[in-house]
Amino acid sequence: MRGAPPVLWTAAGFAAGAAASAAFGFDRTLLTLLICSLPILIWRGPKSRALPFVACLLGGLLWGTAGRRAVEVCTAHVADGDPASLSGYFIRASAEGASALRTGCGEIRVYTRDGAPPEARAVTVDGRWIRSARPDGTETVYLSASSVEEAGDAQVPWTTRVRSAIRGRAADALKRRLGTQAGTASALVLAEREGIPRELWDAFARSGTAHLLSISGFHVGVIATLLGALLSAAGQPPRRRAAFVAAGVWAYVLLIGAPTSATRAAWMTTAFVLGRLRRAPASALGALGLSALMIALLRPGVVSGAGFQLTVAGTAGILILSRWMIAHWPRHRFRAAVAPTVAAGIGASVFTAPVLAHHFGQVPLLSLPSSILLTPLVAAAVPGVILTIVLDVLHLPGAGLAGAGAEGLLHAVTAAAAWLRALPGATVLLTPLEAGLLTAGALLPMVLTAAPWRRRPAVRSAVAVLTALTMLWAGQAAISLAGRGTLQIVAIDVGQGDAIALRTPRGRWLLVDAGPRGFGGSDAGATRVIPYLHARGARRLEAVVVTHPDEDHAGGLGAVLRGIAAGAVIGPGGSIGQSGQMDGLAEARRAGVPWRRAAAGDEWTIDGVRFRVLHPPGRAGPGEAPDPDAPNDWSVVIEVTWGDFSALLMGDADTAIEAAVLRGRPPDAPPLTLLKVGHHGSITSTAAAFVEAVRPQYALIPVGARNRYGHPDPQVLARLERVGAQIFRTDLQGTVLLAIRPDGTVRVRTSR
């Protein structure tokens, strides 16, 4: 990277600033930037190369903050649950995910219940605002629509109507000609994922080939190659051909909605064309820097997302690492045919691993062989799909034949992806730190230019692998040893819901509740619980306790059981058919995880920590049976003790359950160390008599920011304050960790 063009450093600094602003906020990022950069600048002096980078970083920080605030002004005045009525038109419609509604104020995310809304038509949308706090303290605001009514098309720009009409006709052509593969074909050339079954998308993701279904530089390259071949056949001179190719690429990218990776490829194509026109070939890294800089300038909000980071990191890996690998490739007659493809795959995989681990918590191990297998098939299918659309729309003969050929190729692609998905070890769960250590270890041999073993490629490759694995092992050992000898209880910030993780003194884990699963596909089990557990080195749960079947406690259960091995699921033994619990039950059956009923008197000990169930009763007496229509009455209440430490995890237990717990508590019992407050601080729980009896030293309240229920209730907070409890709330402090030492002392850490 020493010889990287200045524009690449400029783009890297600017994009990093914009991403940091979106992820962490202006003030926090600026303070970190000043602390880190000032010593370097003072040490290196005013001529330091770090100075332009830091200046660009600060510029990106300011630009990203301004862009975010311009978007937030549209929804700054709304509260969670407020009714809304908006007028505008949908520029992107989805039946399962978020649709994009363009209004006079800006672009608003909308979730609809009855299929995809009409695209490129003026509409009035009625519904309610939903505000959701992320673990980093930022917020996302969207509209949950109850109705969408068309209101004519006078307000819709003609460009939007034309674009929608072209895409609609193309999609109809694919449905007519490609049968069951129409959805895959639409994803390949139109950036429409609605027709892809969840199982198929998961197969591509687990095999490391999801980028083949997302419009990316690969697809733009296929389009550019086709255009270049057609223009060459038409006899166009090279410079004019290059200009026409750039124009055609931009027309295609804008037609499909300008996905980030495709936009990156279009800007790089533009850089190469400008270089040809000026008779000064553009540097590949310079073109990458230009594309990253232009995207960060025009769309700063996307810089913190996975799409931008993956496309830039993957391209950088191909340009940097693959070039180094080819230069050091063993001399062989197959080198010219094999080396570029393999080196590009390895380069992209190494550079994107930390990004994948950061956003998704896992890295596909089969991405290289899968890409080598599937890329030629997709490259052959894309021209056939495009030809099918053109022939069908223009009513020319041959559309059926072209469609049959493309359908056959896509059948082979989807079948291969499904086969690869079923292979054991298709993905590995990695934290961002672990992925970063692997990447650093793999890149370290590039720095050791004078090492004697570099003369032998086989030894060089072995050293790279061993270095990466050694750094990974050292990092995992450090994570595993951190916190040994202490009991840790963590309230994971999952919004309006519960997820309490417990780590025993010898590093074994339990989970009490799995967070909520909400409207629009949000699943805290997948997005918050699993990433937190992986980041802490948890690879197995001794048990998952589901206190009761409400969605805010059991909604993420299925995702948790899919993401991490579990010894058992323990619950109240009842169900009202809520989808989260049903999904968890199905996943437990699939994975062979036993499901056990919890009852008062059950207890178990792990590493000296005793867990005892205080509710629900094993055999309820007359009038004591839980109401089948009131799941909170089933709440599993657990007492945790370790030496002088004691805690009560109350689930959503109400005052009647609290009274029952007190009746079974010895009169001379010492005060509690920790109370996990019941029902998120609702007035229906945490009665004054209960608080006075247990007198907790610490009170933990898992609750969503600005939730519509008014939790926690001020009266509950006042009761806890009267007995001197230190109150920690996930809506204010984020994820809260209590580390209990053997002597009973407690240290509290929060994420905010």
Side-chain angles (χ1 to χ4, degrees), residues 492 494-500 512-516 547 552-553 651-652 676-677 679-680 702-703:
I492 303 173
V494 293
Q496 185 65 15
D498 269 24
I500 309 295
V512 180
D513 290 325
T547 59
D552 58 336
H553 292 248
D652 275 2
K676 201 295 294 184
V677 174
H679 206 179
H680 321 288
V703 62

Side-chain angles (χ1 to χ4, degrees), residues 208 211 264 309-323 325 340-356 363-364 367-368 371 439 443:
H211 61 282
R264 187 269 309 160
Q309 295 170 14
L310 285 173
T311 189
V312 172
T315 307
I318 292 172
L319 296 178
I320 297 171
L321 185 56
S322 65
R323 184 184 301 172
M325 292 180 64
T341 301
V342 175
I346 294 176
S349 299
V350 169
F351 272 58
T352 57
V355 181
L356 290 167
V363 176
S367 58
L368 179 59
S371 296
T439 298
L443 295 178

Side-chain angles (χ1 to χ4, degrees), residues 49-342:
R49 291 184 180 181
L51 183 60
F53 178 81
V54 172
C56 293
L57 185 64
L58 182 59
L61 179 62
L62 292 168
W63 186 260
T65 301
R68 191 183 76 229
R69 289 177 178 170
V71 173
E72 289 175 348
V73 74
C74 294
T75 55
H77 63 286
V78 302
D80 187 55
D82 279 356
S85 181
L86 301 179
S87 296
Y89 58 92
F90 285 97
I91 57 175
R92 185 177 63 254
S94 172
E96 299 179 356
S99 299
L101 178 70
R102 179 68 55 81
T103 69
C105 186
E107 188 175 313
I108 304 295
R109 290 198 306 159
V110 177
Y111 287 94
T112 54
R113 292 178 171 83
D114 301 322
E119 191 174 295
R121 299 179 192 173
V123 294
T124 299
V125 182
D126 294 322
R128 290 189 177 275
W129 291 108
I130 304 295
R131 301 188 78 98
S132 176
R134 299 189 181 100
D136 58 20
T138 59
E139 278 192 328
T140 179
V141 182
Y142 61 89
L143 183 67
S144 174
S146 56
S147 67
V148 178
E149 301 291 338
E150 292 192 37
D153 57 0
Q155 305 174 23
V156 183
W158 68 269
T159 52
T160 302
R161 293 200 299 270
V162 169
R163 172 177 166 270
S164 179
I166 293 175
R167 291 180 56 165
R169 293 191 65 180
D172 291 340
L174 294 177
K175 290 177 183 177
R176 284 192 295 269
R177 302 295 183 178
L178 268 73
T180 58
Q181 296 300 320
T184 307
S186 293
L188 284 175
V189 299
L190 300 177
E192 294 282 0
R193 300 183 186 178
E194 291 297 302
I196 300 180
R198 183 185 182 92
E199 296 77 12
L200 179 59
W201 180 258
D202 183 61
F204 277 91
R206 287 180 58 83
S207 63
T209 53
H211 61 282
L212 297 179
L213 289 184
S214 303
I215 300 295
S216 62
F218 165 74
H219 302 78
V220 173
V222 172
I223 297 295
T225 301
L226 290 175
L227 288 174
L230 291 174
L231 292 168
S232 178
Q236 296 295 327
R239 296 180 68 188
R240 185 180 299 175
R241 186 164 67 236
F244 282 149
V245 166
V249 163
W250 272 112
Y252 171 69
V253 169
L254 294 175
L255 175 67
I256 61 176
T260 303
S261 54
T263 305
R264 187 269 309 160
W267 278 113
M268 291 188 69
T269 302
T270 303
F272 292 137
V273 168
L274 290 175
R276 179 176 285 267
L277 294 177
R278 295 175 58 243
R279 290 188 169 87
S283 160
L285 287 175
L288 175 61
L290 173 67
S291 66
L293 181 60
M294 295 307 297
I295 293 173
L297 279 169
L298 299 176
R299 301 170 64 189
V302 307
V303 176
S304 60
F308 175 85
Q309 295 170 14
L310 285 173
T311 189
V312 172
T315 307
I318 292 172
L319 296 178
I320 297 171
L321 185 56
S322 65
R323 184 184 301 172
W324 180 86
M325 292 180 64
I326 292 173
H328 296 82
W329 201 270
R331 301 291 176 180
H332 197 277
R333 64 178 182 272
F334 296 115
R335 170 176 171 170
V338 175
T341 301
V342 175

